[in-house]
Amino acid sequence: MASLNLLYAKEYKVNDYITIKIPTVGEVLEDEDGYYGLVTLLTAMPYDLMVELDDMGIDFSEINDWDLFLIVFQSLKLMDTSLVFGDLDLSKFELAVNTQNNHVVLRDSENEIVIDRAIQNQIACALRKIHHLEKNNRKPGNKEARDFLLERARTKRKRNRNRKSDSQLESLIIAMVNTEQFKYNYETVKDMTIYQFNESVKQIVHKVAYDQRMVGVYSGTISSNDLSQDDFNWLDHK
């Protein structure tokens, strides 16, 4: 996945039956909450949904990401997933058992489409790459740490419950359009894929940080000896 070139792609093909759509910025803006809600569910790790799992009586530190996906999938089946999966109809998938290895899978028997753990991982990895998301593998070291994390997560959720959520994408667009390095305007940015936009944001942030470092070096407030070779390269935004 790390070497996958998505710069000019409109979709990422998982297999002959499942394709991840890479929508334009304009398409995402039409249903931002719905789209990012889908991405969140499809890339979630147990740590990310610890409160929801605890409410179901499930210890988030004991469940793996595949079993979590099987739980989340029941909600996904009821949602409009066209911005991620195109015409794929998730409502047709049911739990089944792979008779070759006895592993639980999701199967659309009408169209002979299967989602197993490996395919789910491909889907999540593709979406993480498109949106610069890190896989959250964190686990508490003991019961006390787990209970502390749960309490903190519940407090944060309660604090944010009535807070109006602003459009993060719109805020990024406004920031980028008003940045000299960004060559798009409010209309043309909508035609970029969300991956192209995310990559552009990351590159510009990297370039601005590079420019600030170089000003510091030339003014003498930053020693070049304290910088790595990567700090002198603004072209690569790792």
Side-chain angles (χ1 to χ4, degrees):
M1 181 62 64
S3 62
L4 182 65
N5 185 1
L6 298 176
L7 187 58
Y8 296 105
K10 304 296 184 183
E11 58 186 29
Y12 166 66
K13 189 174 182 180
V14 177
N15 57 31
D16 290 340
Y17 306 100
I18 300 174
T19 297
I20 302 299
K21 182 177 178 180
I22 306 176
T24 64
V25 170
E27 288 174 320
V28 175
L29 283 171
E30 290 178 6
D31 185 17
E32 184 177 347
D33 289 342
Y35 178 73
Y36 285 117
L38 275 174
V39 171
T40 297
L41 288 177
L42 288 164
T43 58
M45 296 292 287
Y47 189 97
D48 302 317
L49 298 179
M50 64 173 75
V51 173
E52 290 81 356
L53 289 169
D54 190 62
D55 288 343
M56 298 169 64
I58 299 173
D59 186 341
F60 78 93
S61 65
E62 298 293 334
I63 188 174
N64 61 48
D65 51 333
W66 170 242
D67 288 334
L68 172 63
F69 180 76
L70 293 178
I71 295 172
V72 166
F73 195 82
Q74 301 312 308
S75 297
L76 291 171
K77 290 172 63 172
L78 305 176
M79 299 168 68
D80 178 4
T81 60
S82 57
L83 267 185
V84 174
F85 291 112
D87 295 332
L88 185 68
D89 187 354
L90 297 190
S91 68
K92 294 182 178 180
F93 286 83
E94 300 293 341
L95 289 174
V97 175
N98 184 331
T99 55
Q100 295 181 337
N101 55 25
N102 290 324
H103 291 171
V104 175
V105 298
L106 293 160
R107 183 189 302 278
D108 171 359
S109 55
E110 179 182 332
N111 298 294
E112 287 302 315
I113 306 173
V114 171
I115 299 176
D116 59 15
R117 188 168 188 168
I119 291 174
Q120 179 267 329
N121 183 62
Q122 274 189 269
I123 292 170
C125 285
L127 289 171
R128 289 189 187 108
K129 181 174 176 63
I130 291 167
H131 295 284
H132 298 158
L133 301 174
E134 295 293 330
K135 187 175 183 179
N136 193 344
N137 286 311
R138 286 181 288 178
K139 284 184 178 291
N142 52 47
K143 182 180 182 301
E144 289 73 21
R146 183 201 66 188
D147 292 345
F148 171 76
L149 289 170
L150 269 169
E151 182 181 355
R152 189 174 66 176
R154 286 190 182 281
T155 300
K156 183 177 180 181
R157 177 201 264 191
K158 186 179 297 185
R159 187 168 60 243
N160 295 333
R161 183 172 296 163
N162 298 320
R163 183 177 296 176
K164 185 178 179 181
S165 131
D166 296 325
S167 168
Q168 293 185 354
L169 183 55
E170 282 191 5
S171 297
L172 280 175
I173 290 171
I174 292 170
M176 289 299 101
V177 168
N178 288 281
T179 300
E180 61 179 341
Q181 291 91 344
F182 194 70
K183 307 305 180 184
Y184 295 82
N185 59 40
Y186 288 118
E187 288 304 314
T188 56
V189 69
K190 293 191 293 185
D191 294 327
M192 301 175 74
T193 68
I194 195 64
Y195 175 77
Q196 290 171 335
F197 180 72
N198 289 335
E199 285 292 293
S200 297
V201 171
K202 188 175 181 181
Q203 175 63 32
I204 288 173
V205 168
H206 181 72
K207 179 62 165 58
V208 169
Y210 165 86
D211 289 342
Q212 292 173 341
R213 281 195 302 273
M214 293 305 101
V215 169
V217 169
Y218 296 136
S219 65
T221 59
I222 296 177
S223 171
S224 60
N225 294 328
D226 295 332
L227 301 177
S228 68
Q229 287 300 312
D230 288 341
D231 290 326
F232 289 96
N233 180 10
W234 67 268
L235 294 173
D236 188 9
H237 63 273
K238 296 179 181 178

